[in-house]
C-alpha cells in the first residue's frame, strides 16, 4: 500500500519549557511507494518516532492528512488502519509465551473476522517460520536473546498481514554483529512479504544498506528524499552531506573568486558561481595523492583500519574535525614529506553557500 | 579458605541473629511453652502439668468462638472489597491528567491520620446519642428509613461499621501501592495493544492485571494478615470491653486473657495466639500456592 503524507505537522507543548511549542514534524509532503522499504533517517530528537506514531495513529496530527492508498486514514483509530508496529524495546508481553504473544492480535478480531483456534495457530506458525523462530514458540521473552525477541516482535506485527509495517529503531538494542544479521533478515522479510515498510534509524549506515529509499530529516523537516546512493552522491545541503558516510565528509571554509573555488591559497576547481564565501565538502574517497596536486595539506600519519588505508593530515581551513581523512586506493601507500598534495575527484567534492545549500556549478 | 569465609559470613550475620533471636524467636518459643503448661500461676510461676487443656478450654470458650467468627467475617468482607475499591480508584486516578497529584494526596490523608482520631469521626457519623441521631441516621431518616444504633445496636449494624471503617483505613495504602504499580507499566504495551485493536476489558485482564500482579498479591497477603490481627480499630469504635459488645477479635481475646478485666491467664492467651498463628500461616500458604499460577514477576 502506498502512503501519502500531505502537509503533515505535529506540534507539542514543550516538556521542559511550559508554553513553548516544539514542532516535532514540520509540514511533511511525501509519497512512499507501494512495497518499498523506506529508511527514515535523522539524528536523535528530530521527530522520527513522532512521524511513525502519526502514521500508525497513536498521535493525532496538528495539521495535514495521511492517505493509505486512496483512503484518508487521518481520523481513523490505530486498530482500523491495518498497520503493524515494532517498538524500540519490542514491548513483548513478558508474562506470555512467544506463541501467546504472536496470537494476541488475532484473538482481538471480532465479528466476521473472528478466527478459529486452529486457524490462529496456523497463521502464527506461518509468521514464526518467516522470521525463523518456530522452534522457540513456548519460551517466555525473558528466555530469549535480544535478536530473537526482535524477531518475535516482528512476527507479532506481521500476524494480521498489515498493509504497512513500521519499525522504530529496531536494531538499536542489538550488538554490532547481530545488528548486521538482523538488518539482512528485515530486508529479506520485507522482500518476501512485499509489505510497505518504514524503518526508523539514526544510524546512516543501517539506513543506506537496506533501504530502497531514504528520507533524511532534521528538526522535524525533511531534508532530502531519494535512493541511498543518490542522496550520498548528491546531497542537497551541508547537513545531509555531513550526516551520511563513514568516515564523515571533510568540510573546509573556502571562497569563490573569478570562477575558481579556493581553500586558503589553493584553487581546487572551476565553477560558474559568482564570488562568495563558501563551505567545501570533500568525501574521504575524493582525495587522490599526487606530486602536482592542487590541494596542499600537512601530512600527519597513515592509518590502516582493516579494509581501508587512510592518510590523516591537517589544514587550517578544515572545520569538520582536526584530522582530515583521505582514503587512498593503494594499501601499501607510504609518504615521507611534511607536505602532501592531492588532486580532488569532482563528483566527490561539493560546494555549499553560507546558508549551507549546495551550489551546482 | 572456604571455612574462613564461612566464619566471616556468620560473624557478619551475628548482630542481626542476636536481635532476631532475643526479640522474635525466644518470645515465640516462650509462647509455645506457655500454651502447653496447664493451670499456670503467674504469682508463683508454677504449673500443674503439660497438655492440651489450654487449647481445649479456648476452643470451647464462647467468647473465643465469637472472636473467631468476627475476625473471619471481617477478613472475608474487607480484604476483597478494599483491594477491589483500591484498584478501581487507582485506575481512575491513573487515567486522570489534571489534578492527579491533588487527588492522590486526598486519598492518602487517612493513612497519616491517627486511628483513634478516625475512630472518633466514625463515632460521630454513626453513634446515636440522647442529643443526636448521628449523621448516617439522619441520612437514613431522610430516605424514610428508621434509625439504627450502629455502635450499641444489632450485630449486623456494628459489623457493618467495623468493615466500613477497616476498608476506609486500609484503602489509602493500597491506592498508593497500586497507583505506582500502574504508573510503572511501560506505555508501549498499551500502544501495541491499541494498534492491535485490543478491547479495554482485554487490555485490563490480559495486560494490566498480570503486570501489576506482584503488587496486588503483596496487598492481598498483607491485607489478610492485617485483618486477622485487627484489634486497635475495633477498640477505637466499640471501646475496650469488646466481649460485652460481642465484637471481640482474636487478638482482642488474647489481650483480654492477659490484661483485661478477666485477665491473668497467659496460658490461655498463648494458646489463642498460636491458634491465630496457625490460621494465618495456613491462609498465607494457600495464597502463595495460588500465586504461583497467577503472579508474574519480571
Ligand atoms: N509527547 C510529547 N510531548 C512533548 N514533546 C514531545 C513529545 N513527544 C516528542 N516530543 C518532542 O518532539 C521531538 C521529536 O521527538 P521524537 O519523535 O521522539 O524524536 P526521534 O524519534 O527522532 O528521536 C523531540 O524534541 C521531543 O522532545
Ligand atoms: Mg525515537
Amino acid at each position: 500500500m502506498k502512503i501519502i503524507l500531505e502537509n503533515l505537522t505535529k506540534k507539542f507543548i514543550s516538556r521542559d519549557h511550559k508554553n513553548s511549542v516544539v514542532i516535532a514534524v514540520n509540514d511533511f509532503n511525501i509519497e512512499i511507494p507501494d512495497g518499498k522499504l523506506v529508511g527514515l533517517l535523522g539524528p536523535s530528537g528530530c521527530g522520527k518516532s513522532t512521524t511513525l506514531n502519526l502514521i500508525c495513529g497513536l498521535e493525532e496530527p496538528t495539521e495535514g492528512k495521511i492517505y493509505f492508498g486512496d483512503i484518508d486514514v487521518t481520523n481513523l483509530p490505530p486498530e482500523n488502519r491495518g498497520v503493524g508496529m515494532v517498538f524500540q524495546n519490542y514491548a513483548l508481553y513478558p508474562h506470555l509465551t512467544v506463541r501467546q504473544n504472536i496470537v494476541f492480535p488475532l484473538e482481538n478480531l471480532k465479528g466476521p473476522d473472528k478466527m478459529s483456534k486452529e486457524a490462529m495457530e496456523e497463521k502464527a506458525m506461518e509468521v514464526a517460520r518467516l522470521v525463523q523462530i518456530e522452534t522457540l514458540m513456548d519460551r517466555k521473552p525473558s528466555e530469549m536473546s535480544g535478536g530473537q525477541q526482535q524477531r518475535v516482535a516482528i512476527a507479532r506485527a506481521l500476524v494480521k498481514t498489515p498493509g504497512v509495517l513500521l519499525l522504530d529503531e529496531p536494531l538499536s538494542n542489538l550488538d554490532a554483529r547481530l545488528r548486521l544479521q538482523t538488518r539482512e533478515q528485515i530486508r529479506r522479510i520485507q522482500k518476501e512479504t512485499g509489505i510497505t515498510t518504514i524503518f526508523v534509524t539514526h544510524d546512516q549506515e543501517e539506513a543506506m544498506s537496506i533501504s530502497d529509499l531514504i528520507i533524511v530529516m532534521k528538526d522535524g523537516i525533511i531534508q532530502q528524499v531519494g535512493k541511498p546512493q543518490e542522496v550520498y552522491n548528491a546531497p542537497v545541503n551541508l547537513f545531509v552531506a555531513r550526516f551520511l558516510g563513514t568516515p564523515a565528509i571533510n568540510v573546509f571554509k573556502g571562497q569563490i573568486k573569478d570562477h575558481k573555488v579556493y581553500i586558503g591559497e589553493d584553487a581546487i576547481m572551476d565553477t560558474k558561481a559568482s564570488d562568495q564565501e563558501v563551505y567545501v565538502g570533500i568525501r574521504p574517497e575524493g582525495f587522490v595523492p599526487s606530486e602536482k596536486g592542487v590541494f596542499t595539506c600537512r601530512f600527519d600519519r597513515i592509518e590502516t583500519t582493516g579494509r581501508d588505508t587512510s592518510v590523516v593530515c591537517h589544514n587550517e581551513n578544515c572545520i569538520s574535525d582536526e584530522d582530515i581523512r583521505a582514503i587512498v586506493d593503494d594499501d601499501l601507500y607510504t609518504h615521507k614529506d611534511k607536505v602532501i598534495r592531492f588532486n580532488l575527484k569532482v563528483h566527490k567534492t561539493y560546494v555549499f553557500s553560507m546558508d549551507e545549500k549546495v551550489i551546482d556549478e | 579458605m572456604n571455612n574462613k569465609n564461612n566464619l566471616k559470613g556468620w560473624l557478619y550475620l551475628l548482630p542481626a541473629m542476636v536481635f532476631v533471636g532475643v526479640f522474635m524467636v525466644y518470645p515465640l518459643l516462650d509462647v509455645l511453652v506457655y500454651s502447653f503448661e496447664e493451670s499456670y500461676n503467674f504469682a508463683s510461676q508454677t504449673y500443674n502439668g503439660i497438655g492440651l487443656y489450654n487449647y481445649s478450654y479456648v476452643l470451647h470458650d464462647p467468647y473465643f468462638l465469637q472472636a473467631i467468627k468476627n475476625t473471619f467475617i471481617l477478613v472475608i468482607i474487607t480484604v476483597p472489597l478494599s483491594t477491589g475499591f483500591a484498584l478501581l480508584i487507582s485506575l481512575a486516578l491513573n487515567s486522570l491528567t489534571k489534578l492527579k497529584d491533588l487527588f492522590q494526596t486526598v486519598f492518602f490523608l487517612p493513612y497519616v491520620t491517627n486511628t483513634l482520631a478516625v475512630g472518633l469521626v466514625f463515632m460521630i457519623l454513626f453513634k446515636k446519642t440522647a442529643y443526636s441521631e448521628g449523621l448516617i441516621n439522619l441520612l437514613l431518616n431522610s430516605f424514610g428509613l428508621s434509625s439504627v444504633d450502629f455502635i450499641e445496636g444489632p450485630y449486623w449494624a456494628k459489623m457493618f461499621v467495623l468493615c466500613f471503617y477497616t476498608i476506609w483505613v486500609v484503602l489509602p495504602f493500597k491506592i498508593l501501592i497500586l497507583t505506582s504499580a500502574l504508573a510503572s507499566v511501560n506505555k508501549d504495551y498499551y500502544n501495541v495493544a491499541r494498534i492491535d485493536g485490543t478491547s479495554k476489558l482485554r487490555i485490563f485482564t490480559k495486560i494490566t492485571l498480570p503486570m501489576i500482579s506482584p503488587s496486588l498479591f503483596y496487598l492481598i497477603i498483607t491485607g489478610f494478615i492485617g485483618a486477622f490481627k485487627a484489634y486497635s480499630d475495633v477498640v477505637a469504635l466499640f471501646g475496650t470491653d469488646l466481649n460485652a459488645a460481642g465484637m471481640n477479635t482474636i487478638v482482642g481475646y488474647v489481650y483480654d486473657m492477659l490484661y483485661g478485666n478477666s485477665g491473668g491467664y497467659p496460658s490461655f492467651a498463648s494458646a489463642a495466639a498460636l491458634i491465630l498463628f496457625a490460621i494465618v500461616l495456613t491462609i498465607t500458604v494457600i495464597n502463595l500456592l495460588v500465586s504461583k499460577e497467577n503472579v508474574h514477576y519480571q
Side-chain angles (χ1 to χ4, degrees), chain A residues 34-52:
Chain A
D34 184 26
K36 295 282 192 239
L37 178 59
V38 177
L40 185 57
L41 176 64
S44 201
C46 73
K48 306 182 295 292
S49 297
T50 308
T51 310
L52 278 202

Side-chain angles (χ1 to χ4, degrees), chain A residues 96-111:
Chain A
L96 301 182
T97 62
V98 169
R99 184 189 311 275
Q100 291 166 328
N101 263 288
I102 298 178
V103 166
F104 197 91
L106 299 178
E107 289 169 342
N108 292 329
L109 295 172
K110 283 191 213 70

Side-chain angles (χ1 to χ4, degrees), chain A residues 74-346:
Chain A
T74 317
N75 296 315
L76 283 185
E79 66 266 27
N80 297 344
R81 293 192 184 192
V83 295
M85 181 138 168
V86 175
F87 287 80
Q88 190 170 350
N89 60 11
Y90 317 141
L92 296 175
Y93 306 123
H95 53 286
L96 301 182
T97 62
V98 169
R99 184 189 311 275
Q100 291 166 328
N101 263 288
I102 298 178
V103 166
F104 197 91
L106 299 178
E107 289 169 342
N108 292 329
L109 295 172
K110 283 191 213 70
D113 300 332
K114 205 167 160 66
M115 292 170 77
S116 70
K117 267 219 144 45
E118 295 77 44
M120 287 193 222
E121 172 70 22
E122 197 172 313
K123 187 75 202 167
M125 280 314 286
E126 186 189 319
V127 287
R129 271 192 292 272
L130 180 67
V131 301
Q132 299 171 347
I133 48 157
E134 66 272 26
T135 55
L136 308 173
M137 296 301 270
D138 294 310
R139 296 220 192 152
K140 291 272 179 72
S142 57
E143 298 160 351
M144 293 190 299
S145 72
Q148 291 169 335
Q149 291 183 30
Q150 160 73 266
R151 283 185 269 156
V152 176
I154 295 177
R156 185 178 60 181
L158 287 176
V159 74
K160 272 199 200 169
T161 352
V164 175
L165 179 63
L166 306 171
L167 306 161
D168 194 350
E169 311 236 6
L171 307 180
S172 61
N173 287 343
L174 305 178
D175 62 51
R177 262 178 65 95
L178 213 49
R179 209 175 296 172
L180 276 176
Q181 280 174 14
T182 311
R183 82 184 186 202
E184 293 314 318
Q185 289 255 8
I186 291 177
R187 170 85 266 195
R188 176 184 60 79
I189 293 164
Q190 195 274 333
K191 275 260 157 65
E192 280 177 30
T193 57
I195 295 175
T196 311
T197 303
I198 304 181
F199 171 103
V200 160
T201 176
H202 62 262
D203 182 335
Q204 53 92 19
E205 200 189 325
E206 216 167 274
M208 302 266 295
S209 63
I210 65 168
S211 311
D212 295 315
L213 200 68
I214 58 171
I215 304 171
V216 185
M217 58 185 292
K218 176 200 176 193
D219 298 339
I221 299 172
I222 294 181
Q223 305 291 309
Q224 193 168 0
V225 181
K227 295 210 173 96
Q229 206 54 39
E230 285 171 11
V231 176
Y232 180 80
N233 286 337
V236 296
N237 62 33
L238 188 57
F239 171 80
V240 175
R242 293 180 88 153
F243 199 72
L244 299 184
T246 39
I249 196 167
N250 304 289
V251 183
F252 303 86
K253 272 185 114 42
Q255 41 308 104
I256 297 178
K257 258 192 314 220
D258 303 331
H259 300 295
K260 282 191 189 308
V261 181
Y262 287 88
I263 297 175
E265 303 294 306
D266 299 338
I268 56 160
M269 58 191 224
D270 295 335
T271 177
K272 296 198 183 82
S274 55
D275 292 5
Q276 60 188 299
E277 297 282 307
V278 292
Y279 297 112
V280 181
I282 308 171
R283 294 258 182 233
E285 66 273 25
F287 294 91
V288 185
S290 162
E291 296 280 328
K292 300 202 181 68
V294 293
F295 183 44
T296 314
C297 294
R298 273 177 292 114
F299 176 78
D300 185 350
R301 62 186 187 272
I302 289 176
E303 269 183 16
T304 321
T305 50
R307 183 193 44 174
D308 291 333
T309 304
S310 35
V311 174
V312 178
C313 51
H314 304 292
N315 184 301
E316 60 273 18
N317 294 301
C318 182
I319 56 171
S320 51
D321 189 355
E322 205 184 323
D323 291 338
I324 300 166
R325 251 159 240 282
I327 296 178
V328 291
D329 285 339
D330 181 1
D331 55 3
L332 297 172
Y333 183 82
T334 53
H335 189 84
K336 295 220 170 53
D337 289 339
K338 285 236 167 80
V339 166
I340 182 166
R341 291 195 174 81
F342 300 102
N343 279 324
L344 302 176
K345 294 180 187 163
V346 178

Side-chain angles (χ1 to χ4, degrees), chain A residues 56-58 78-79 83-85 87 89-96 103-105 107-108 110 140 156 160, chain B residues 186-199 202-203 205-211 295-298:
Chain A
C56 76
L58 287 173
E79 66 266 27
V83 295
M85 181 138 168
F87 287 80
N89 60 11
Y90 317 141
L92 296 175
Y93 306 123
H95 53 286
L96 301 182
V103 166
F104 197 91
E107 289 169 342
N108 292 329
K110 283 191 213 70
K140 291 272 179 72
R156 185 178 60 181
K160 272 199 200 169
Chain B
N186 191 327
K187 295 281 172 294
D188 282 346
Y189 292 125
Y190 296 124
N191 285 336
V192 172
R194 264 181 75 197
I195 293 174
D196 292 340
T198 319
S199 67
R202 198 164 136 82
I203 288 181
T205 55
K206 294 283 169 162
I207 301 173
T208 310
L209 271 188
M211 292 283 182
V295 176
H296 307 278
Y297 296 97
Q298 314 225 345

